[in-house]
Every structure is written in structure tokens, then in C-alpha cells.
Amino acid sequence: KQEVTQIPAALSVPEGENLVLNCSFTDSAIYNLQWFRQDPGKGLTSLLLIQSSQREQTSGRLNASLDKSSGRSTLYIAASQPGDSATYLCAVRDTGGFKTIFGAGTRLFVKA
Amino acid sequence: EPEVTQTPSHQVTQMGQEVILRCVPISNHLYFYWYRQILGQKVEFLVSFYNNEISEKSEIFDDQFSVERPDGSNFTLKIRSTKLEDSAMYFCATRGQGAGGQYFGPGTRLTVT
């Protein structure tokens, strides 16, 4: 049974810092991995999607990497801003299935 | 940019009542999902729907739940007899053909009293 873990659970950084959020999954037979952002009481906004055959994806100040064999993904945020404050969720879609399993998220607070 | 929409944004119902949550998918998407998120907890997969049938469902998705596409556009989640523990945020998500990611709607907050 696939399990997804995100570390740290919460993170507070000063504005301008570069930071890394971690996601690990127990079963490496994944189809893809998606990073989302969730603002309080809101829906999920897709940030980056990495296919199982890819190693990384970039969008603006965000870079996500995937090491399928070790069951890990990282989300790198460069030059963090107060507007980046949100919960970041990692979600894994298993091979051959339709189910997507979410981690509990990392709650990020960027101080001005 | 196309988006997934959900109605209502907030539904309050009494225990034992039936509720229907509605989702309008992105127009060319073929795969549809429902998730729920109890306050302070993880987003949990409920069910996936493709080609007018359920393709996968979780242990949470018991006989009290059902899904359908009644008119080829809306995608609905029905809870037949709501319980207090059904109180949660319910998210609809849709996906196009192939290896694309899922797009989530803004959610419906269901409160069962």
C-alpha cells in the first residue's frame, strides 16, 4: 500500500531564502508525481507534474526533482516571498491505477 | 485558462439527509475524481470515473456514496444518508487523456449537523 510522507510538517523562513520541501513514497512503481499548493480553506493549485520517466521539472522559481528508485521528490523554491506562504502537497499516482495518494503537506510561512 | 467548477461552495445539511455535490469538469477531460479533506487532515481519494463507470474506489466510498454524469457535462457525488463524520471539504478533479496531471475544483464544504 502506497504511503506518502512529507517533511518538514511546517517551515518558517525569512523572505528571500531558498528552501527545499521533501516528499517520500514507499512504492516506487509510480506513474507520476504532482506538487500542489493549497491556501487556507481553498482548493488545490497544481504547481508541477513529473512523469515517472523524468528527473525534474521547472516553473519559474520552482524546481521539482524525482528519484523514483529511492522513492523521493523534492520541491525547491528559490528566493521565497511572503506570497509563497501556503501548504504544499505532494501526490503520487500509482502505475496501473487511478488512485492518487497525497502526503499530509508542508505548511510554509515566509516572513517579510 | 479552463477550470473545474463546483457547486455549492458550502452545504449545510442535517444528519440522515441526502446531498448531491456537483462538478463541471474541464470540457475535453475524460477522467473524473472525487476527493475529500476532513479539517486538518490529508486529502483522501474517494473514487475515479472514466467512460461512464467507476474505475477505482477507496474503502471510504461505501454504499452511501454514488457518482454519475447525469447529462454528459456535470459530474455528481451523492451521499445518501449523511453522517456527522461526512463533514469535510469535497474536491472534484479532472484529467485529460494520457499522462497529464489532475486539475482540482475549489471544493464544496459539507457540514453535517
Side-chain angles (χ1 to χ4, degrees):
Chain A
K1 181 183 172 186
Q2 179 75 269
E3 291 183 6
V4 180
T5 303
Q6 291 187 245
I7 294 173
L11 183 62
S12 180
V13 300
E15 182 177 6
E17 257 197 29
N18 302 324
L19 55 102
V20 174
L21 308 182
N22 298 289
C23 171
S24 62
F25 45 95
T26 55
D27 186 346
S28 62
I30 67 168
Y31 194 82
N32 59 37
L33 184 146
Q34 201 165 356
W35 282 94
F36 293 90
R37 169 187 171 134
Q38 185 176 31
D39 292 285
K42 304 290 185 183
L44 281 65
T45 301
S46 180
L47 298 174
L48 289 164
L49 171 71
I50 311 179
Q51 303 299 337
S52 63
S53 58
Q54 296 175 324
R55 299 284 297 198
E56 65 177 340
Q57 284 287 326
T58 298
S59 175
R61 293 183 294 109
L62 305 179
N63 175 276
S65 68
L66 175 64
D67 183 344
K68 203 173 67 163
S69 61
S70 68
R72 292 181 184 176
S73 176
T74 60
L75 178 67
Y76 175 81
I77 302 177
S80 57
Q81 303 169 357
D84 294 331
S85 299
T87 297
Y88 290 80
L89 302 174
C90 165
V92 166
R93 180 181 158 202
D94 284 342
T95 301
F98 294 85
K99 183 181 290 191
T100 294
I101 306 299
F102 279 79
T106 293
R107 193 183 309 167
L108 173 65
F109 179 63
V110 181
K111 298 171 285 189
Chain B
E1 185 176 325
E3 58 182 19
V4 178
T5 59
Q6 291 186 242
T7 55
S9 57
H10 189 193
Q11 172 103 37
V12 181
T13 189
Q14 289 190 330
M15 197 167 51
Q17 296 296 305
E18 174 184 287
V19 295
I20 298 176
L21 310 182
R22 292 182 169 79
C23 168
V24 178
I26 293 172
S27 63
N28 60 346
H29 282 192
L30 302 175
Y31 297 85
F32 313 111
Y33 306 83
W34 284 102
Y35 295 84
R36 80 172 184 190
Q37 186 177 33
I38 296 171
L39 188 64
Q41 297 188 23
K42 285 186 180 185
V43 175
E44 301 173 288
F45 169 84
L46 292 178
V47 65
S48 58
F49 190 85
Y50 171 69
N51 202 23
N52 285 319
E53 61 182 21
I54 291 174
S55 44
E56 192 165 358
K57 60 184 180 179
S58 72
E59 317 79 59
I60 303 167
F61 194 88
D62 61 22
D63 292 343
Q64 293 298 313
F65 292 90
S66 63
V67 290
E68 64 175 358
R69 285 196 82 194
D71 55 10
S73 60
N74 290 298
F75 177 50
T76 63
L77 174 69
K78 181 192 290 185
I79 309 175
R80 277 183 247 290
S81 178
T82 51
K83 305 171 197 158
L84 294 176
E85 54 265 36
D86 292 328
S87 294
M89 196 77 158
Y90 287 81
F91 293 108
C92 171
T94 73
R95 178 171 69 83
Q97 192 69 275
Q102 296 178 47
Y103 291 79
F104 278 71
T108 292
R109 180 172 301 283
L110 176 65
T111 302
V112 182
T113 61

